[in-house]
Amino acid sequence: MSERAAPFYCPYCGDEDLRPSEQGHGAWECAACNRAFQLKYLGLLARGVTRTSSAPLDGNAI
């Protein structure tokens, strides 16, 4: 697992000119729109993953 996951673009203006901020872990600065934002992982959802295909669970075709 990587130490820091980097966003690909600014959530406000969509530009890709991002730099890590000195405000702490997960904080980023956008040079294009002059905004700062922070990313935070909240956790897994309780509902889990649902299957939408009609494929057999064991993967064998009939």
Side-chain angles (χ1 to χ4, degrees):
M1 181 178 269
S2 68
E3 194 172 304
R4 178 188 301 236
F8 294 110
Y9 56 88
C10 174
Y12 298 100
C13 71
D15 200 90
E16 298 175 356
D17 191 6
L18 301 175
R19 292 179 173 81
S21 175
E22 296 178 2
Q23 296 298 320
H25 182 71
W28 293 86
E29 297 175 355
C30 177
C33 68
N34 203 32
R35 288 186 169 113
F37 58 94
Q38 189 169 16
L39 302 176
K40 182 178 178 181
Y41 176 72
L42 298 177
L44 297 174
L45 299 175
R47 65 175 177 241
V49 179
T50 59
R51 291 183 62 89
T52 58
S53 68
S54 59
L57 292 178
D58 63 0
N60 296 329
I62 297 177

PDB file of all heavy atoms in Angstrom, residues 3-30:
ATOM      1  N   GLU A   3       2.108   5.119   0.677  1.00  0.00           N
ATOM      2  CA  GLU A   3       2.056   5.985   1.847  1.00  0.00           C
ATOM      3  C   GLU A   3       1.033   7.100   1.659  1.00  0.00           C
ATOM      4  O   GLU A   3       0.372   7.514   2.593  1.00  0.00           O
ATOM      5  CB  GLU A   3       3.446   6.577   2.070  1.00  0.00           C
ATOM      6  CG  GLU A   3       3.624   7.213   3.409  1.00  0.00           C
ATOM      7  CD  GLU A   3       5.067   7.591   3.623  1.00  0.00           C
ATOM      8  OE1 GLU A   3       5.920   6.704   3.513  1.00  0.00           O
ATOM      9  OE2 GLU A   3       5.312   8.774   3.888  1.00  0.00           O
ATOM     10  N   ARG A   4       0.897   7.591   0.432  1.00  0.00           N
ATOM     11  CA  ARG A   4      -0.017   8.699   0.161  1.00  0.00           C
ATOM     12  C   ARG A   4      -0.669   8.469  -1.205  1.00  0.00           C
ATOM     13  O   ARG A   4       0.010   8.285  -2.193  1.00  0.00           O
ATOM     14  CB  ARG A   4       0.749  10.005   0.138  1.00  0.00           C
ATOM     15  CG  ARG A   4      -0.096  11.207  -0.174  1.00  0.00           C
ATOM     16  CD  ARG A   4       0.760  12.429  -0.370  1.00  0.00           C
ATOM     17  NE  ARG A   4       1.551  12.722   0.789  1.00  0.00           N
ATOM     18  CZ  ARG A   4       1.533  13.875   1.433  1.00  0.00           C
ATOM     19  NH1 ARG A   4       0.780  14.847   1.012  1.00  0.00           N
ATOM     20  NH2 ARG A   4       2.288  14.071   2.471  1.00  0.00           N
ATOM     21  N   ALA A   5      -1.971   8.500  -1.248  1.00  0.00           N
ATOM     22  CA  ALA A   5      -2.680   8.404  -2.520  1.00  0.00           C
ATOM     23  C   ALA A   5      -2.922   9.817  -3.034  1.00  0.00           C
ATOM     24  O   ALA A   5      -3.400  10.680  -2.308  1.00  0.00           O
ATOM     25  CB  ALA A   5      -4.009   7.677  -2.330  1.00  0.00           C
ATOM     26  N   ALA A   6      -2.557  10.061  -4.264  1.00  0.00           N
ATOM     27  CA  ALA A   6      -2.658  11.401  -4.838  1.00  0.00           C
ATOM     28  C   ALA A   6      -3.917  11.530  -5.696  1.00  0.00           C
ATOM     29  O   ALA A   6      -4.221  10.636  -6.485  1.00  0.00           O
ATOM     30  CB  ALA A   6      -1.434  11.695  -5.680  1.00  0.00           C
ATOM     31  N   PRO A   7      -4.640  12.631  -5.557  1.00  0.00           N
ATOM     32  CA  PRO A   7      -5.782  12.872  -6.445  1.00  0.00           C
ATOM     33  C   PRO A   7      -5.267  13.217  -7.846  1.00  0.00           C
ATOM     34  O   PRO A   7      -4.154  13.723  -8.017  1.00  0.00           O
ATOM     35  CB  PRO A   7      -6.476  14.071  -5.798  1.00  0.00           C
ATOM     36  CG  PRO A   7      -5.408  14.775  -5.038  1.00  0.00           C
ATOM     37  CD  PRO A   7      -4.463  13.707  -4.586  1.00  0.00           C
ATOM     38  N   PHE A   8      -6.060  12.931  -8.861  1.00  0.00           N
ATOM     39  CA  PHE A   8      -5.662  13.196 -10.238  1.00  0.00           C
ATOM     40  C   PHE A   8      -6.035  14.600 -10.686  1.00  0.00           C
ATOM     41  O   PHE A   8      -5.428  15.134 -11.602  1.00  0.00           O
ATOM     42  CB  PHE A   8      -6.290  12.177 -11.187  1.00  0.00           C
ATOM     43  CG  PHE A   8      -5.780  10.778 -10.958  1.00  0.00           C
ATOM     44  CD1 PHE A   8      -6.609   9.816 -10.423  1.00  0.00           C
ATOM     45  CD2 PHE A   8      -4.480  10.446 -11.262  1.00  0.00           C
ATOM     46  CE1 PHE A   8      -6.149   8.530 -10.211  1.00  0.00           C
ATOM     47  CE2 PHE A   8      -4.005   9.165 -11.057  1.00  0.00           C
ATOM     48  CZ  PHE A   8      -4.842   8.207 -10.527  1.00  0.00           C
ATOM     49  N   TYR A   9      -7.064  15.185 -10.074  1.00  0.00           N
ATOM     50  CA  TYR A   9      -7.507  16.518 -10.481  1.00  0.00           C
ATOM     51  C   TYR A   9      -8.196  17.217  -9.311  1.00  0.00           C
ATOM     52  O   TYR A   9      -8.634  16.582  -8.362  1.00  0.00           O
ATOM     53  CB  TYR A   9      -8.442  16.440 -11.685  1.00  0.00           C
ATOM     54  CG  TYR A   9      -9.640  15.562 -11.462  1.00  0.00           C
ATOM     55  CD1 TYR A   9     -10.811  16.063 -10.897  1.00  0.00           C
ATOM     56  CD2 TYR A   9      -9.609  14.216 -11.803  1.00  0.00           C
ATOM     57  CE1 TYR A   9     -11.906  15.256 -10.669  1.00  0.00           C
ATOM     58  CE2 TYR A   9     -10.700  13.404 -11.582  1.00  0.00           C
ATOM     59  CZ  TYR A   9     -11.836  13.932 -11.016  1.00  0.00           C
ATOM     60  OH  TYR A   9     -12.922  13.127 -10.784  1.00  0.00           O
ATOM     61  N   CYS A  10      -8.292  18.538  -9.410  1.00  0.00           N
ATOM     62  CA  CYS A  10      -8.944  19.346  -8.384  1.00  0.00           C
ATOM     63  C   CYS A  10     -10.456  19.117  -8.430  1.00  0.00           C
ATOM     64  O   CYS A  10     -11.059  19.177  -9.508  1.00  0.00           O
ATOM     65  CB  CYS A  10      -8.627  20.821  -8.629  1.00  0.00           C
ATOM     66  SG  CYS A  10      -9.507  21.959  -7.539  1.00  0.00           S
ATOM     67  N   PRO A  11     -11.105  18.859  -7.292  1.00  0.00           N
ATOM     68  CA  PRO A  11     -12.555  18.647  -7.290  1.00  0.00           C
ATOM     69  C   PRO A  11     -13.351  19.924  -7.568  1.00  0.00           C
ATOM     70  O   PRO A  11     -14.539  19.857  -7.836  1.00  0.00           O
ATOM     71  CB  PRO A  11     -12.841  18.116  -5.893  1.00  0.00           C
ATOM     72  CG  PRO A  11     -11.713  18.606  -5.057  1.00  0.00           C
ATOM     73  CD  PRO A  11     -10.524  18.698  -5.965  1.00  0.00           C
ATOM     74  N   TYR A  12     -12.706  21.074  -7.528  1.00  0.00           N
ATOM     75  CA  TYR A  12     -13.398  22.349  -7.750  1.00  0.00           C
ATOM     76  C   TYR A  12     -13.296  22.834  -9.188  1.00  0.00           C
ATOM     77  O   TYR A  12     -14.287  23.237  -9.787  1.00  0.00           O
ATOM     78  CB  TYR A  12     -12.858  23.415  -6.794  1.00  0.00           C
ATOM     79  CG  TYR A  12     -13.100  23.058  -5.359  1.00  0.00           C
ATOM     80  CD1 TYR A  12     -12.094  22.511  -4.577  1.00  0.00           C
ATOM     81  CD2 TYR A  12     -14.349  23.226  -4.782  1.00  0.00           C
ATOM     82  CE1 TYR A  12     -12.318  22.158  -3.265  1.00  0.00           C
ATOM     83  CE2 TYR A  12     -14.587  22.869  -3.471  1.00  0.00           C
ATOM     84  CZ  TYR A  12     -13.563  22.344  -2.725  1.00  0.00           C
ATOM     85  OH  TYR A  12     -13.801  21.984  -1.424  1.00  0.00           O
ATOM     86  N   CYS A  13     -12.081  22.826  -9.765  1.00  0.00           N
ATOM     87  CA  CYS A  13     -11.906  23.373 -11.115  1.00  0.00           C
ATOM     88  C   CYS A  13     -11.526  22.313 -12.148  1.00  0.00           C
ATOM     89  O   CYS A  13     -11.588  22.562 -13.342  1.00  0.00           O
ATOM     90  CB  CYS A  13     -10.863  24.497 -11.105  1.00  0.00           C
ATOM     91  SG  CYS A  13      -9.163  23.927 -10.857  1.00  0.00           S
ATOM     92  N   GLY A  14     -11.102  21.126 -11.705  1.00  0.00           N
ATOM     93  CA  GLY A  14     -10.743  20.056 -12.629  1.00  0.00           C
ATOM     94  C   GLY A  14      -9.314  20.111 -13.131  1.00  0.00           C
ATOM     95  O   GLY A  14      -8.903  19.251 -13.905  1.00  0.00           O
ATOM     96  N   ASP A  15      -8.541  21.094 -12.713  1.00  0.00           N
ATOM     97  CA  ASP A  15      -7.161  21.208 -13.172  1.00  0.00           C
ATOM     98  C   ASP A  15      -6.287  20.148 -12.508  1.00  0.00           C
ATOM     99  O   ASP A  15      -6.634  19.606 -11.458  1.00  0.00           O
ATOM    100  CB  ASP A  15      -6.622  22.603 -12.851  1.00  0.00           C
ATOM    101  CG  ASP A  15      -5.414  22.950 -13.695  1.00  0.00           C
ATOM    102  OD1 ASP A  15      -5.619  23.513 -14.785  1.00  0.00           O
ATOM    103  OD2 ASP A  15      -4.285  22.647 -13.264  1.00  0.00           O
ATOM    104  N   GLU A  16      -5.160  19.826 -13.127  1.00  0.00           N
ATOM    105  CA  GLU A  16      -4.272  18.783 -12.625  1.00  0.00           C
ATOM    106  C   GLU A  16      -3.021  19.327 -11.934  1.00  0.00           C
ATOM    107  O   GLU A  16      -2.140  18.559 -11.572  1.00  0.00           O
ATOM    108  CB  GLU A  16      -3.875  17.867 -13.774  1.00  0.00           C
ATOM    109  CG  GLU A  16      -5.066  17.154 -14.389  1.00  0.00           C
ATOM    110  CD  GLU A  16      -4.688  16.327 -15.606  1.00  0.00           C
ATOM    111  OE1 GLU A  16      -3.514  16.364 -16.020  1.00  0.00           O
ATOM    112  OE2 GLU A  16      -5.574  15.650 -16.137  1.00  0.00           O
ATOM    113  N   ASP A  17      -2.932  20.636 -11.735  1.00  0.00           N
ATOM    114  CA  ASP A  17      -1.759  21.250 -11.115  1.00  0.00           C
ATOM    115  C   ASP A  17      -1.917  21.252  -9.593  1.00  0.00           C
ATOM    116  O   ASP A  17      -2.204  22.272  -8.978  1.00  0.00           O
ATOM    117  CB  ASP A  17      -1.562  22.668 -11.647  1.00  0.00           C
ATOM    118  CG  ASP A  17      -0.214  23.262 -11.258  1.00  0.00           C
ATOM    119  OD1 ASP A  17       0.616  22.528 -10.669  1.00  0.00           O
ATOM    120  OD2 ASP A  17       0.006  24.447 -11.537  1.00  0.00           O
ATOM    121  N   LEU A  18      -1.732  20.078  -8.968  1.00  0.00           N
ATOM    122  CA  LEU A  18      -1.927  19.908  -7.531  1.00  0.00           C
ATOM    123  C   LEU A  18      -0.593  19.677  -6.839  1.00  0.00           C
ATOM    124  O   LEU A  18       0.311  19.052  -7.395  1.00  0.00           O
ATOM    125  CB  LEU A  18      -2.845  18.716  -7.261  1.00  0.00           C
ATOM    126  CG  LEU A  18      -4.232  18.783  -7.872  1.00  0.00           C
ATOM    127  CD1 LEU A  18      -4.969  17.484  -7.612  1.00  0.00           C
ATOM    128  CD2 LEU A  18      -5.001  19.962  -7.341  1.00  0.00           C
ATOM    129  N   ARG A  19      -0.509  20.163  -5.615  1.00  0.00           N
ATOM    130  CA  ARG A  19       0.680  19.981  -4.791  1.00  0.00           C
ATOM    131  C   ARG A  19       0.246  19.618  -3.379  1.00  0.00           C
ATOM    132  O   ARG A  19      -0.765  20.119  -2.902  1.00  0.00           O
ATOM    133  CB  ARG A  19       1.484  21.270  -4.756  1.00  0.00           C
ATOM    134  CG  ARG A  19       2.093  21.602  -6.096  1.00  0.00           C
ATOM    135  CD  ARG A  19       2.874  22.901  -6.023  1.00  0.00           C
ATOM    136  NE  ARG A  19       3.591  23.156  -7.256  1.00  0.00           N
ATOM    137  CZ  ARG A  19       3.051  23.684  -8.347  1.00  0.00           C
ATOM    138  NH1 ARG A  19       1.788  24.003  -8.361  1.00  0.00           N
ATOM    139  NH2 ARG A  19       3.772  23.882  -9.432  1.00  0.00           N
ATOM    140  N   PRO A  20       1.032  18.757  -2.705  1.00  0.00           N
ATOM    141  CA  PRO A  20       0.711  18.451  -1.305  1.00  0.00           C
ATOM    142  C   PRO A  20       0.786  19.717  -0.456  1.00  0.00           C
ATOM    143  O   PRO A  20       1.656  20.562  -0.655  1.00  0.00           O
ATOM    144  CB  PRO A  20       1.795  17.466  -0.888  1.00  0.00           C
ATOM    145  CG  PRO A  20       2.338  16.919  -2.157  1.00  0.00           C
ATOM    146  CD  PRO A  20       2.180  17.987  -3.182  1.00  0.00           C
ATOM    147  N   SER A  21      -0.136  19.857   0.478  1.00  0.00           N
ATOM    148  CA  SER A  21      -0.176  21.026   1.354  1.00  0.00           C
ATOM    149  C   SER A  21       0.580  20.747   2.640  1.00  0.00           C
ATOM    150  O   SER A  21       0.740  19.595   3.050  1.00  0.00           O
ATOM    151  CB  SER A  21      -1.630  21.373   1.685  1.00  0.00           C
ATOM    152  OG  SER A  21      -1.688  22.429   2.613  1.00  0.00           O
ATOM    153  N   GLU A  22       1.032  21.801   3.286  1.00  0.00           N
ATOM    154  CA  GLU A  22       1.713  21.664   4.570  1.00  0.00           C
ATOM    155  C   GLU A  22       0.726  21.514   5.722  1.00  0.00           C
ATOM    156  O   GLU A  22       1.141  21.378   6.875  1.00  0.00           O
ATOM    157  CB  GLU A  22       2.606  22.880   4.802  1.00  0.00           C
ATOM    158  CG  GLU A  22       3.727  22.993   3.801  1.00  0.00           C
ATOM    159  CD  GLU A  22       4.572  24.228   4.021  1.00  0.00           C
ATOM    160  OE1 GLU A  22       4.313  24.975   4.980  1.00  0.00           O
ATOM    161  OE2 GLU A  22       5.492  24.438   3.220  1.00  0.00           O
ATOM    162  N   GLN A  23      -0.572  21.529   5.452  1.00  0.00           N
ATOM    163  CA  GLN A  23      -1.598  21.457   6.492  1.00  0.00           C
ATOM    164  C   GLN A  23      -1.721  20.074   7.112  1.00  0.00           C
ATOM    165  O   GLN A  23      -2.399  19.915   8.117  1.00  0.00           O
ATOM    166  CB  GLN A  23      -2.954  21.887   5.928  1.00  0.00           C
ATOM    167  CG  GLN A  23      -2.984  23.322   5.484  1.00  0.00           C
ATOM    168  CD  GLN A  23      -2.737  24.274   6.639  1.00  0.00           C
ATOM    169  OE1 GLN A  23      -3.219  24.071   7.745  1.00  0.00           O
ATOM    170  NE2 GLN A  23      -1.951  25.299   6.382  1.00  0.00           N
ATOM    171  N   GLY A  24      -1.125  19.056   6.507  1.00  0.00           N
ATOM    172  CA  GLY A  24      -1.184  17.721   7.094  1.00  0.00           C
ATOM    173  C   GLY A  24      -1.468  16.658   6.066  1.00  0.00           C
ATOM    174  O   GLY A  24      -1.555  16.901   4.865  1.00  0.00           O
ATOM    175  N   HIS A  25      -1.636  15.432   6.558  1.00  0.00           N
ATOM    176  CA  HIS A  25      -1.866  14.278   5.703  1.00  0.00           C
ATOM    177  C   HIS A  25      -3.175  14.413   4.933  1.00  0.00           C
ATOM    178  O   HIS A  25      -4.212  14.713   5.518  1.00  0.00           O
ATOM    179  CB  HIS A  25      -1.887  13.001   6.543  1.00  0.00           C
ATOM    180  CG  HIS A  25      -2.065  11.766   5.735  1.00  0.00           C
ATOM    181  ND1 HIS A  25      -1.068  11.290   4.913  1.00  0.00           N
ATOM    182  CD2 HIS A  25      -3.103  10.925   5.600  1.00  0.00           C
ATOM    183  CE1 HIS A  25      -1.498  10.191   4.312  1.00  0.00           C
ATOM    184  NE2 HIS A  25      -2.731   9.948   4.723  1.00  0.00           N
ATOM    185  N   GLY A  26      -3.129  14.201   3.638  1.00  0.00           N
ATOM    186  CA  GLY A  26      -4.324  14.252   2.805  1.00  0.00           C
ATOM    187  C   GLY A  26      -4.706  15.635   2.341  1.00  0.00           C
ATOM    188  O   GLY A  26      -5.721  15.794   1.678  1.00  0.00           O
ATOM    189  N   ALA A  27      -3.932  16.654   2.679  1.00  0.00           N
ATOM    190  CA  ALA A  27      -4.249  18.028   2.280  1.00  0.00           C
ATOM    191  C   ALA A  27      -3.521  18.370   0.982  1.00  0.00           C
ATOM    192  O   ALA A  27      -2.341  18.060   0.814  1.00  0.00           O
ATOM    193  CB  ALA A  27      -3.857  19.007   3.372  1.00  0.00           C
ATOM    194  N   TRP A  28      -4.248  19.002   0.057  1.00  0.00           N
ATOM    195  CA  TRP A  28      -3.712  19.344  -1.261  1.00  0.00           C
ATOM    196  C   TRP A  28      -4.051  20.784  -1.601  1.00  0.00           C
ATOM    197  O   TRP A  28      -5.058  21.317  -1.144  1.00  0.00           O
ATOM    198  CB  TRP A  28      -4.300  18.408  -2.316  1.00  0.00           C
ATOM    199  CG  TRP A  28      -3.847  17.003  -2.131  1.00  0.00           C
ATOM    200  CD1 TRP A  28      -4.412  16.060  -1.335  1.00  0.00           C
ATOM    201  CD2 TRP A  28      -2.705  16.406  -2.712  1.00  0.00           C
ATOM    202  NE1 TRP A  28      -3.694  14.899  -1.395  1.00  0.00           N
ATOM    203  CE2 TRP A  28      -2.637  15.081  -2.248  1.00  0.00           C
ATOM    204  CE3 TRP A  28      -1.732  16.854  -3.595  1.00  0.00           C
ATOM    205  CZ2 TRP A  28      -1.632  14.217  -2.625  1.00  0.00           C
ATOM    206  CZ3 TRP A  28      -0.730  15.981  -3.981  1.00  0.00           C
ATOM    207  CH2 TRP A  28      -0.687  14.674  -3.492  1.00  0.00           C
ATOM    208  N   GLU A  29      -3.215  21.389  -2.454  1.00  0.00           N
ATOM    209  CA  GLU A  29      -3.433  22.750  -2.933  1.00  0.00           C
ATOM    210  C   GLU A  29      -3.489  22.734  -4.457  1.00  0.00           C
ATOM    211  O   GLU A  29      -2.687  22.066  -5.098  1.00  0.00           O
ATOM    212  CB  GLU A  29      -2.295  23.667  -2.480  1.00  0.00           C
ATOM    213  CG  GLU A  29      -2.203  23.787  -0.986  1.00  0.00           C
ATOM    214  CD  GLU A  29      -0.989  24.596  -0.544  1.00  0.00           C
ATOM    215  OE1 GLU A  29      -0.162  24.985  -1.405  1.00  0.00           O
ATOM    216  OE2 GLU A  29      -0.868  24.826   0.664  1.00  0.00           O
ATOM    217  N   CYS A  30      -4.427  23.475  -5.015  1.00  0.00           N
ATOM    218  CA  CYS A  30      -4.560  23.602  -6.460  1.00  0.00           C
ATOM    219  C   CYS A  30      -3.987  24.958  -6.871  1.00  0.00           C
ATOM    220  O   CYS A  30      -4.460  26.002  -6.415  1.00  0.00           O
ATOM    221  CB  CYS A  30      -6.022  23.502  -6.881  1.00  0.00           C
ATOM    222  SG  CYS A  30      -6.257  23.738  -8.663  1.00  0.00           S
TER     223      CYS A  30
END
